[in-house]
Structure formats: C-alpha cells, structure tokens
Amino acid sequence: MKTKRNILFILLACIICSCGTQLYFPRSADTKKQEQLLAGRKLYTSYCSSCHNLHLPGQFTAGQWKMKVDAMQPRAKITDEQKQLILQYLISEP
Ligand code: HEC
C-alpha cells in the first residue's frame, strides 16, 4: 500500500516538473538581454496565466504574437514596458 502511494507521488512529481520545463529558459551571452528575457518570462508567467493556460512561444510567429499581446494588454492590465518585455521573451526562443 505504501509503495503504491510512493509511486503515485513520483509520477505526480514528474508530471508537474515536465509542465514547468515546457516554457524555455532564456540564455543569452549578453547580460542585459538575459536580464530582460528573464524579466519577460516572469511577467509572462505571472500576468498571463490567470485566465487561461500559457501559450508556448513557438505557437505563433513574431507578427502574430505582437497582435495577440497587444490585444491582451488591457486584459492583463500591464504597462507598455511590461508588454514589450513579454513580447521580447515570446519571440526570442532559440
Ligand atoms: C483577464 C483574462 C485574461 C488575461 C489576464 C490574459 N488573457 Fe489571453 N485570453 C483571454 C481570453 C478570454 C481569450 C480567448 C478569447 C480571445 O481570443 O479573445 C484569450 C486568448 C489568448 C490567446 C489566444 C488567441 C488566439 O488567437 O488563439 C493568446 C495567445 C493569449 N490570450 C495571450 C495572452 C497573453 C500573452 C497575456 C498576458 C499579457 C494574456 N493572454 C492575459 C483572457 C485573458
């Protein structure tokens, strides 16, 4: 009985971990850019996940993302600067 519960726990942990790694982690040699991308990722996960699941950066082209983030700005109540950081993160996936 106990082993069963442990296996379930491990499975659950795996599922949770694999969900988290779907959003790419930015790595840029340029420190300033790296900071901006990290900030964008953080803003994206905190402001854009309250109403729906996060869409993956690769799901849309840069042009499509610009329109969609513009459309979501009033919903997420973010400033132009925050929007810019989120957009930069979304379209910078290597
Ligand atoms: C207040 C709720 C809310 C917040 C916050 C929000 N969204 Fe949305 N989002 C929606 C709703 C509702 C839809 C579906 C209807 C639509 O497309 O207008 C949607 C749809 C989308 C879609 C799919 C559109 C398509 O054409 O397939 C994308 C991409 C998206 N949101 C991105 C974002 C991003 C990026 C942010 C953060 C800046 C964000 N959302 C924050 C409510 C929200």
Side-chain angles (χ1 to χ4, degrees), residues 43-44 47-55 59-60 64-65 68-69 71-78 83 86 90:
L43 288 167
Y44 182 52
Y47 282 94
C48 305
S49 62
S50 51
C51 302
H52 46 66
N53 287 332
L54 290 173
H55 298 76
Q59 246 176 294
F60 302 108
Q64 287 172 322
W65 267 125
K68 290 180 196 299
V69 180
M72 289 296 145
Q73 183 177 14
R75 286 196 167 132
K77 299 188 181 67
I78 48 172
K83 182 180 72 177
I86 291 173
L90 288 171

